[in-house]
């Protein structure tokens, strides 16, 4: 059988999404930011390296064991696949920043406290805790290896002295508790100072244990493990605004979990057809509304967004609203279906708008208007002429994320050559910046970059033919209330802040 171009694309693409155990035929086999994005207004606060191993900090004897900053920069050309950062997320206050990598590790950075002598260092983040969240597994029933890669991290609002976060790989979601301990109990009756049980015959007095000061220790302990609920790869997790439930989404289903129940979940969306030959789209991202606990959205590989209301029915297969932009027939090509696939969807902080990212554009939708987006921003339109080569090297399947600033006035997303783009919704200005080792000096001001498509190239421009597609910014995060951003580039995490801060 000879596949037609559109059919060939879908089968190839669907196979990548659903994994080797499920082919398309069904046979067995993841504020107060009012300054906008003015050119040259961002400076590098610090460049952080995700440890290649948990014991990496011991490579230098004289450095602070809780810090990896500019003094620890070195050539990391030896970084392995496991060291690549796969997700970045600020907590609700912005004081902590968590990263996950393909090796299943979670590294949490804590913001430097401001001091009278070092006011300018307020924005720096230092290593707070590092732990192994997921391990590689093997599904013997399906002969399938389950990677340890961290697909998403989501913080829960802080209720006490401890921090809680969700992390997920392709199959399992875990709830982690991160807490500090600076005291330890001493003076047990039945145990000696080494922790060994004492001979009861030697115990002649009753002692009251006391707490003694000790060096600060940050402990990460798994509190819940939510497993065995997804047949396909988990691509999204989202905490509900009621803070009692969360949802996890894979390619064909979305499940609703209660934080206190690990052995049962409710299936709220199921788009799997009875015959896998009829499969035409997959779920690519999902998120809860920031204020209404009954509302959520999910996007698909067809470039559509569905808004669902859990009050309507237990199974939300019938959407409440359907957002789709009609395709211009004059722009249709072999790659139209691929580049229209939505890789990320985010509610604005106000809950009024939805932002989506496809391969070439970022779009902003008003919840009250379903037929077309109210804003469309071209991220790297100069790549339209390169789609054929991007298809051949699989870059066209890259999943770029997008984020809002704290006031929903500026949006940010990544591109190739370690470029990332910012769009000011009020002034309609945009800027292209680069996260690179050449700009890794602290307090260095970022210079806007421009890409030249053809003709004579200026001194400060880079040719589209010179772009490095192996360097890509897929994961970014914006501080919830300040102009501080985190940009992940391979195994490097760049943190920038606005110059006026």
């Amino acid at each position: 059988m000879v596949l037609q171009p559109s059919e060939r694309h879908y089968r190839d693409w669907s196979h990548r999404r659903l994994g080797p155990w499920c082919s398309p035929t069904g046979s067995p086999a993841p504020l107060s930011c009012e300054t906008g994005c003015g050119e040259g207004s961002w400076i590098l606060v610090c460049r952080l390296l995700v440890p290649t191993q948990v014991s990496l900090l011991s490579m230098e004897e004289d450095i602070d064991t809780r810090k990896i900053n500019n003094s620890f920069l070195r050539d990391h050309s030896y970084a392995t696949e496991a060291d690549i950062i796969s997700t970045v997320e600020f907590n609700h206050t912005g004081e902590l920043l968590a990263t996950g990598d393909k090796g299943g590790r979670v590294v949490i950075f804590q913001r430097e406290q401001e001091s009278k002598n070092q006011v300018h260092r307020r924005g720096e983040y230092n290593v707070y805790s590092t732990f192994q969240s997921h391990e590689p597994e093997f599904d013997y029933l399906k002969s399938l290896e389950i990677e340890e890669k961290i697909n998403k991290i989501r913080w829960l609002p802080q209720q006490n002295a401890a921090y809680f976060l969700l992390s997920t790989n392709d199959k399992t979601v875990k709830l982690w508790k991160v807490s500090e301990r600076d005291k330890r109990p001493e003076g047990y009756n039945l145990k000696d100072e080494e922790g060994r049980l004492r001979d009861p015959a030697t115990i002649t007095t009753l002692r009251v244990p006391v707490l003694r000061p000790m060096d600060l220790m940050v402990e990460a302990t798994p509190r819940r493990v939510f497993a065995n609920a997804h047949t396909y790869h988990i691509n999204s997790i989202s905490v509900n605004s009621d803070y009692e439930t969360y949802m996890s989404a894979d390619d064909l289903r979305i499940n609703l979990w209660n934080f206190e129940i690990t052995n049962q979940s409710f299936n709220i969306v199921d788009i799997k057809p009875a015959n896998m030959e009829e499969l035409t789209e997959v779920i690519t991202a999902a998120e809860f509304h920031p204020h209404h606990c009954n509302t959520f959205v999910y996007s698909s590989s067809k470039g559509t967004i569905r808004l669902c209301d859990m009050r309507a029915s237990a199974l939300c297969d019938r959407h409440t609203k359907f957002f789709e932009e009609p395709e211009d027939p004059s722009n249709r090509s072999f790659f139209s279906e691929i580049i229209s696939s939505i890789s990320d969807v985010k509610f604005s902080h106000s809950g009024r708008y939805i932002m989506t990212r496809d391969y070439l554009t970022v779009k902003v939708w008003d919840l009250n208007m379903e037929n077309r987006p109210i804003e469309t921003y071209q991220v790297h339109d100069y790549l339209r002429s390169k789609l054929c080569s991007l298809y051949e090297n699989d870059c066209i399947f890259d999943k770029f994320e997008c984020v809002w600033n704290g006031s929903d006035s500026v949006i940010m997303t990544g591109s190739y050559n370690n470029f990332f783009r910012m769009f000011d919704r009020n002034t309609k200005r945009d800027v292209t910046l680069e996260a690179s080792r050449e700009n890794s000096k602290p307090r260095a001001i970022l210079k806007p970059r421009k890409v030249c498509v053809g003709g004579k190239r200026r001194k400060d421009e880079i040719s589209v033919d010179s772009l490095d597609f192996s360097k890509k910014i897929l994961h970014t995060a914006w501080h919830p209330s300040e102009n501080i951003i985190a940009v992940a580039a391979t195994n490097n995490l760049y943190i920038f802040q606005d110059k006026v801060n």
Side-chain angles (χ1 to χ4, degrees), residues 486-497:
V487 176
T490 317
N491 68 319
N492 294 272
L493 182 68
Y494 295 86
I495 299 179
F496 305 97
Q497 73 177 17

Side-chain angles (χ1 to χ4, degrees), residues 65-348:
T65 57
R66 292 183 59 207
K67 181 179 296 186
I68 301 180
N69 57 15
N70 298 283
S71 63
F72 197 63
L73 294 181
R74 60 184 67 214
D75 181 12
H76 268 53
S77 58
Y78 59 83
T80 64
E81 181 78 7
D83 302 321
I84 297 176
I85 299 174
S86 55
T87 184
V88 184
E89 188 78 9
F90 279 102
N91 73 338
H92 290 73
T93 64
E95 295 301 306
L96 297 181
L97 175 65
T99 66
D101 62 25
K102 290 188 175 182
R105 296 179 293 265
V106 173
V107 181
I108 302 176
F109 301 94
Q110 185 180 47
R111 194 176 186 185
E112 186 83 9
Q113 296 300 315
E114 185 175 354
S115 64
K116 294 182 180 179
N117 299 329
Q118 296 176 323
V119 178
H120 68 282
R121 294 186 61 183
R122 176 71 175 108
E124 287 196 10
Y125 283 77
N126 301 317
V127 172
Y128 179 68
S129 177
T130 302
F131 58 92
Q132 188 74 30
S133 176
H134 288 72
E135 300 282 355
E137 302 176 31
F138 189 81
D139 189 332
Y140 293 96
L141 294 178
K142 299 178 180 178
S143 297
L144 175 70
E145 292 184 4
I146 302 174
E147 295 181 352
E148 64 273 30
K149 172 192 170 186
I150 306 298
N151 292 338
K152 294 291 180 181
I153 291 175
R154 290 292 180 265
W155 290 91
L156 276 67
Q158 188 176 5
Q159 304 292 338
N160 49 41
Y163 302 96
F164 289 87
L165 61 86
L166 289 171
S167 63
T168 182
N169 65 349
D170 286 341
K171 298 293 182 181
T172 304
V173 183
K174 294 184 180 181
L175 175 65
W176 289 89
K177 176 184 178 181
V178 181
S179 57
E180 297 181 354
R181 186 155 60 95
D182 58 359
K183 293 181 176 64
R184 62 183 176 188
E186 293 182 356
Y188 288 107
N189 290 282
L190 301 180
K191 294 181 181 180
D192 59 19
E193 301 304 327
E194 301 297 329
R196 296 187 295 264
L197 290 175
R198 299 171 61 185
D199 184 0
T202 63
I203 302 176
T204 58
T205 59
L206 180 65
R207 297 189 299 175
V208 178
V210 295
L211 294 175
R212 303 290 186 189
M214 60 174 287
D215 293 336
L216 178 65
M217 178 182 298
V218 181
E219 299 176 319
T221 54
R223 299 303 302 270
R224 304 280 190 277
V225 178
F226 307 89
N228 304 319
H230 286 278
T231 304
Y232 308 103
H233 292 171
I234 298 174
N235 54 51
S236 301
I237 52 176
S238 180
V239 179
N240 201 347
S241 58
D242 61 10
Y243 304 128
E244 294 183 359
T245 58
Y246 78 93
M247 69 177 176
S248 56
D250 64 25
D251 296 314
L252 296 178
R253 296 186 179 96
I254 300 177
N255 294 331
L256 181 68
W257 300 83
N258 187 294
F259 280 110
E260 301 299 325
I261 303 173
T262 61
N263 61 353
Q264 184 181 25
S265 65
F266 295 94
N267 180 224
I268 55 177
V269 172
D270 187 350
I271 66 170
K272 182 180 179 181
N275 182 4
M276 287 296 285
E277 277 285 353
E278 301 173 0
L279 180 65
T280 59
E281 62 181 336
V282 296
I283 299 170
T284 56
E287 187 177 60
F288 269 118
H289 191 281
H291 309 304
H292 302 150
C293 61
N294 54 282
T295 307
F296 67 94
V297 296
Y298 69 91
S299 58
S300 80
S301 57
K302 277 191 170 182
T304 61
I305 310 105
R306 292 172 174 85
L307 179 73
C308 300
D309 191 337
M310 292 189 291
R311 296 173 300 183
S313 63
L315 188 62
C316 300
D317 285 350
R318 294 184 178 180
H319 50 267
T320 303
K321 290 190 176 183
F322 184 78
F323 302 86
E324 182 179 23
E325 183 178 24
E327 183 183 6
D328 186 353
S330 62
N331 292 333
R332 181 161 183 81
S333 68
F334 169 76
F335 304 104
S336 295
E337 293 182 22
I338 310 178
I339 63 177
S340 65
S341 174
I342 295 176
S343 58
D344 195 17
V345 59
K346 293 282 177 61
F347 271 108
S348 63

Side-chain angles (χ1 to χ4, degrees), residues 438-500:
E438 289 72 19
N439 299 330
S440 59
K441 293 182 180 180
R443 322 308 296 179
I445 299 178
L446 293 186
K447 296 181 179 180
R449 302 302 304 269
K450 293 184 179 180
V451 178
C452 175
V453 178
K456 190 175 182 180
R457 182 171 62 90
R458 297 181 180 178
K459 182 179 180 181
D460 57 344
E461 293 181 339
I462 181 172
S463 172
V464 66
D465 298 321
S466 303
L467 295 178
D468 188 345
F469 295 107
S470 65
K471 296 179 180 180
K472 59 193 76 172
I473 303 294
L474 300 178
H475 313 287
T476 59
W478 201 307
H479 191 285
S481 60
E482 298 181 32
N483 267 341
I484 297 177
I485 58 175
V487 176
T490 317
N491 68 319
N492 294 272
L493 182 68
Y494 295 86
I495 299 179
F496 305 97
Q497 73 177 17
D498 197 288
K499 183 179 178 181
V500 300

Side-chain angles (χ1 to χ4, degrees), residues 39-42 431-434 439 444-450:
E39 295 188 0
S41 62
W42 292 89
V431 63
T432 301
L433 302 173
E434 181 182 6
N439 299 330
I445 299 178
L446 293 186
K447 296 181 179 180
R449 302 302 304 269
K450 293 184 179 180

Side-chain angles (χ1 to χ4, degrees), residues 325 328 331 339-340 355-364 373-385 387 400 411-416 419-424 428-433 449 451 453:
E325 183 178 24
D328 186 353
N331 292 333
I339 63 177
S340 65
M355 173 171 56
T356 60
R357 171 69 203 265
D358 56 41
Y359 190 69
L360 294 178
T361 66
V362 173
K363 298 175 181 177
V364 177
I374 59 173
E375 302 166 22
T376 300
Y377 302 97
Q378 299 294 333
V379 179
H380 38 216
D381 197 53
Y382 46 78
L383 293 182
R384 286 190 181 274
S385 61
L387 292 179
F400 293 95
I411 57 182
M412 176 176 63
T413 190
S415 182
Y416 294 104
F419 288 167
F420 58 98
R421 301 266 285 147
M422 290 184 178
F423 303 93
D424 192 312
K428 304 304 178 183
R429 296 174 62 189
D430 63 88
V431 63
T432 301
L433 302 173
R449 302 302 304 269
V451 178
V453 178

